[in-house]
């Protein structure tokens, strides 16, 4: 793999900024509107896009992947609301949600893939995406366990709470 170290460093900065942006947005969605958090989130997103445009330009196939990740994230927010209303939720549907909620983490894999000159990179790329999916599912399960009471109090979907209701139904 032959990637310019300056580009790699800038990708790390962009990834950190976008991660921070998503944390601020998540807090807004969970806790209610906060103008200061919204502005910080927007600034982080703006700086991320500037850095990524500097690295990839405007016509790179990277932006095709970026748009795919954005659409997957939107799908995650819709699926999250949908699952909250369902009486029965399969593990596979929850796993899809967990993977979609962390979809922008795949942008790091996409970016290195787009910058890479490796041979057979398609198979490595697919394996990295699959690994990210497994990690995202485990991370989401852990997060749901840690946030059981908080999500219950806020009336938010939480798979650990859902499973508890299945195992110990109210009589």
């Amino acid at each position: 793999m032959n990637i310019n170290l300056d580009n790699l460093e800038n990708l790390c900065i962009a990834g950190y900024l976008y991660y921070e942006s998503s944390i601020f947005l998540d807090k807004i969605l969970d806790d209610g509107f906060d103008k200061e958090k919204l502005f910080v989130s927007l600034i982080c997103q703006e700086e991320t896009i500037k850095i990524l445009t500097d690295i990839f330009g405007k016509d790179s196939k990277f932006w095709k992947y970026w748009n795919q990740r954005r659409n997957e994230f939107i799908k995650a927010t819709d699926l999250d609301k949908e699952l909250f209303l369902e009486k029965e939720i399969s593990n596979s549907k929850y796993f899809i949600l967990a993977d979609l909620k962390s979809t922008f983490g795949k942008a790091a894999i996409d970016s290195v893939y787009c910058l890479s000159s490796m041979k057979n990179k398609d198979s490595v790329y697919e394996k990295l995406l699959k690994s990210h999916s497994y990690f995202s599912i485990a991370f989401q399960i852990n997060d749901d366990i840690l946030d059981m009471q908080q999500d219950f109090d806020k009336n938010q979907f939480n798979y650990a709470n859902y499973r508890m209701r299945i195992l110990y139904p109210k009589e």
Side-chain angles (χ1 to χ4, degrees):
M1 182 163 51
N2 191 11
I3 297 177
N4 177 299
L5 289 179
D6 288 337
N7 281 343
L8 194 57
E9 184 175 312
N10 286 329
L11 281 174
C12 291
I13 293 167
Y16 174 77
L17 288 170
Y18 205 80
Y19 173 77
E20 286 297 313
S21 170
S22 68
I23 295 298
F24 282 111
L25 281 178
D26 193 47
K27 287 180 182 176
I28 291 168
L29 292 172
D30 287 349
D31 301 336
F33 180 75
D34 180 326
K35 185 169 78 171
E36 186 174 319
K37 285 185 177 98
L38 178 63
F39 288 142
V40 172
S41 177
L42 291 172
I43 290 167
C44 287
Q45 284 183 13
E46 181 181 316
E47 294 304 315
T48 298
I49 298 301
K50 286 179 190 175
I51 292 168
L52 293 173
T53 302
D54 188 46
I55 294 169
F56 293 103
K58 293 180 183 177
D59 299 323
S60 170
K61 69 179 177 179
F62 169 78
W63 297 110
K64 178 188 90 165
Y65 292 113
W66 181 265
N67 291 335
Q68 176 184 341
R69 303 303 173 208
R70 182 194 58 229
N71 293 336
E72 289 171 352
F73 184 77
I74 291 168
K75 186 176 177 183
T77 59
D78 294 340
L79 184 56
D80 198 31
K81 291 174 190 169
E82 179 184 315
L83 290 184
F84 185 77
L85 300 173
E86 288 188 16
K87 292 188 191 302
E88 292 187 34
I89 302 165
S90 67
N91 286 342
S92 60
K93 201 164 196 179
Y94 175 73
F95 295 165
I96 290 168
L97 172 65
D99 186 40
L100 290 172
K101 284 177 92 170
S102 300
T103 196
F104 270 109
K106 295 175 188 173
I109 298 168
D110 297 335
S111 63
V112 172
Y113 173 73
C114 289
L115 292 173
S116 175
S117 61
M118 294 186 322
K119 297 199 185 308
N120 299 323
K121 62 184 175 182
D122 288 338
S123 63
V124 172
Y125 173 70
E126 293 301 324
K127 288 176 184 175
L128 287 170
L129 290 176
K130 187 132 193 105
S131 175
H132 184 275
S133 178
Y134 290 143
F135 174 82
S136 298
I137 292 165
F139 183 86
Q140 188 63 51
I141 290 169
N142 185 60
D143 187 60
D144 280 359
I145 291 168
L146 294 175
D147 292 346
M148 283 178 75
Q149 185 65 50
Q150 183 181 4
D151 289 344
F152 180 81
D153 292 343
K154 292 180 180 179
N155 209 25
Q156 292 180 335
F157 175 74
N158 179 304
Y159 196 63
N161 286 333
Y162 166 76
R163 296 299 297 172
M164 288 296 289
R165 285 194 310 272
I166 298 290
L167 293 171
Y168 304 103
K170 290 183 182 179
E171 296 179 27

